[in-house]
Amino acid sequence: MAELPVSIPHAGVISCVEMHTSGEPTRIVYAGHPQLTGTLLEQRAEAKAKYDHIRRRLNWEPRGHFDMYGAILRPETELTATGKAHIGVLFTTNDGYSTMCGHATIALGRLLVDSDERIFAQRSKLEYDPESQTTQVKLHAPCGLLDVTVPTLKDGRRSDPSRPVSFTSVPSFATGISVNIPIGPEYQWPELRGRHSVTADFSYGGAFFCLISLGELGFSGRLNQVDLAKTNIATKKLKAAIVANPDLQSLFQHPIEGDLSFLYGVMIVDQQLGQPSSDSDSAETGLYYFSGQQIDRSPTGSGVAARVALAYAKDPNFTTKRTYHSLVSHAMTTKSNNGGFIGTVVQKVEADHPFPVVLVEVKGSAYYTGFSQYVVEDSDPLGDDGFIFEKLSAPLTS
């Protein structure tokens, strides 16, 4: 049991490393979570069925907040058993367990290189390349195997925060281009102004995305000028309209794993906003509402893979390096610092699919913000759980 600075009767300690990637937090659980067994997807199902109170305890108030994001290290999976992966991970959101997370993968790359065997049993198996001064980590995510390249200092033991981490995505692909989405009366939002449909794209980058422009949603101006409360309503209603429409279900059906077949969220894309980094050719900015309508502060790594795959599907000659911003990374960009992610196609994958399937390199930077231990005191009336403040008061219904 981890040592605490005070002596109190409590349930077991959960120990975490706190990091952020372009402002998006990742609370990484490395000790104290109950044992999970089976394949990684089976462990994900077990965590949902038996231990979801722990996700709520760590992600929700009073220890977290509505937009908190988490990761749970899983030392043993079917891929670590065969030597294909060094370690596995489960990702947690405000309403469940996601299948892929790019910003957390970037953070995990640094943490795993910086860790010793107490946190990461296979640390000694990581290969350091002195020529490029990078270390390779093979990370097993619920969506598949990720190759993570971590810049490393000359000693080979510590990550180099001055250079970005990169990872190669799982096979990524568009599933629908310029799809007409009917918006029935129960899903209307004010900015539609009487329109009964919108047009959007759909793509997969480890999770399924709906991608739509600000103007198509009925908003004017640039993405950094919108009323976030109003775009929250619009994207929530749009997602509900999509999920409820049986004719649109094929847009978020994974060809192999049923557990991956769900629409993760809606991203609003502004292709006119954003500053390219020094080693990219263009830029765009996205605002992503995902899971239970939490907002991603980062440019969304899996969303970058999905957007690159979509751009390639629209134009097979798309080989440019593009900077992908969030509202946070756009706001923090200066001449000497660019907090966006860079995405580029690295390989086309031969597959039986209506649109091209590609592997995408996603590059970004993550930083440590703290180290934490969480307990539940025996007499705490909240118990072994948490709460979302916004959901404590529900409107009356007739």
Side-chain angles (χ1 to χ4, degrees):
M1 179 178 292
E3 184 178 347
L4 298 176
V6 295
S7 178
I8 55 172
H10 65 276
V13 177
I14 293 181
S15 300
C16 305
V17 175
E18 312 283 349
M19 301 185 73
H20 87 87
T21 313
S22 298
E24 177 72 0
T26 307
R27 176 164 290 165
I28 304 168
V29 177
Y30 67 87
H33 193 282
Q35 179 64 29
L36 301 171
T37 59
T39 68
L40 188 60
L41 288 177
E42 288 170 347
Q43 292 181 43
R44 179 173 177 263
E46 184 181 3
K48 292 169 66 175
K50 295 182 179 180
Y51 304 113
D52 199 47
H53 60 283
I54 295 179
R55 175 192 65 83
R56 299 192 300 269
R57 187 211 304 180
L58 295 175
N59 283 42
W60 293 2
E61 296 183 57
R63 299 167 186 85
H65 54 80
F66 184 81
D67 295 299
M68 176 56 72
Y69 199 94
I72 306 167
L73 294 181
R74 302 306 315 139
E76 297 179 2
T77 76
E78 70 274 25
L79 295 188
T80 65
T82 59
K84 294 180 180 179
H86 294 116
I87 196 169
V89 64
L90 297 177
F91 300 120
T92 62
T93 70
N94 69 4
D95 79 342
Y97 298 79
S98 60
T99 57
M100 172 57 193
C101 180
H103 89 267
T105 296
I106 290 168
L108 286 162
R110 285 200 63 200
L111 172 63
L112 294 172
V113 168
D114 293 337
S115 298
D116 60 25
E117 284 72 14
R118 292 173 297 176
I119 292 178
F120 179 24
Q122 296 201 42
R123 174 61 181 87
S124 62
K125 295 183 179 181
L126 298 186
E127 295 183 2
Y128 169 66
D129 177 10
E131 184 174 347
S132 63
Q133 293 186 30
T134 60
T135 300
Q136 299 298 315
V137 179
K138 292 188 178 298
L139 181 66
H140 185 189
C143 63
L145 187 64
L146 305 170
D147 290 317
V148 188
T149 301
V150 184
T152 310
L153 299 176
K154 291 182 179 180
D155 63 6
R157 295 294 305 178
R158 293 174 295 161
S159 65
D160 180 358
S162 69
R163 294 182 288 155
V165 174
S166 64
F167 69 88
T168 302
S169 73
V170 295
S172 302
F173 46 87
T175 57
I177 296 176
S178 299
V179 177
N180 182 73
I181 303 169
I183 308 296
E186 68 272 38
Y187 301 115
Q188 292 275 318
W189 58 91
E191 289 73 21
L192 280 179
R193 297 178 179 85
R195 291 163 56 210
H196 298 289
S197 67
V198 296
T199 300
D201 299 321
F202 292 80
S203 194
Y204 176 82
F208 286 96
F209 291 77
C210 171
L211 303 138
I212 191 168
S213 70
L214 192 62
E216 190 65 23
L217 285 174
F219 295 89
S220 59
R222 299 266 67 88
L223 195 55
N224 59 342
Q225 301 168 331
V226 299
D227 183 328
L228 293 180
K230 292 180 178 180
T231 52
N232 176 56
I233 292 171
T235 54
K236 184 176 183 178
K237 287 181 175 289
L238 173 59
K239 183 179 179 181
I242 295 168
V243 172
N245 190 329
D247 295 333
L248 303 177
Q249 302 302 299
S250 62
L251 297 168
F252 43 94
Q253 295 299 308
H254 193 271
I256 300 174
E257 290 289 352
D259 283 349
L260 308 183
S261 298
F262 62 94
L263 182 62
Y264 193 30
V266 175
M267 177 173 285
I268 309 172
V269 178
D270 187 339
Q271 295 186 328
Q272 306 303 314
L273 182 67
Q275 179 68 32
S277 65
S278 58
D279 58 346
S280 70
D281 307 308
S282 60
E284 63 181 53
T285 300
L287 172 60
Y288 188 41
Y289 289 90
F290 70 102
S291 197
Q293 288 299 106
Q294 63 188 96
I295 297 176
D296 196 342
R297 274 67 173 163
S298 84
T300 313
S302 53
V304 169
R307 289 151 79 185
V308 171
L310 176 65
Y312 191 84
K314 292 181 175 181
D315 178 9
N317 295 316
F318 180 82
T319 57
T320 185
K321 287 185 177 181
R322 178 172 290 173
T323 299
Y324 294 85
H325 282 291
S326 64
L327 290 182
V328 174
S329 70
H330 170 71
M332 63 189 274
T333 295
T334 65
K335 290 183 178 180
S336 60
N337 175 69
N338 190 307
F341 292 174
I342 298 175
T344 185
V345 173
V346 293
Q347 182 182 335
K348 184 177 179 180
V349 179
E350 295 301 324
D352 183 16
H353 193 271
F355 295 103
V357 179
V358 295
L359 301 182
V360 179
E361 181 189 73
V362 180
K363 186 182 297 185
S365 296
Y367 303 92
Y368 293 96
T369 59
F371 305 88
S372 55
Q373 296 175 310
Y374 294 98
V375 301
V376 176
E377 199 169 3
D378 292 349
S379 59
D380 189 342
L382 285 177
D384 191 9
D385 214 319
F387 64 89
I388 293 177
F389 186 80
E390 292 85 349
K391 293 186 177 181
L392 294 179
S393 176
L396 294 174
T397 57
S398 56

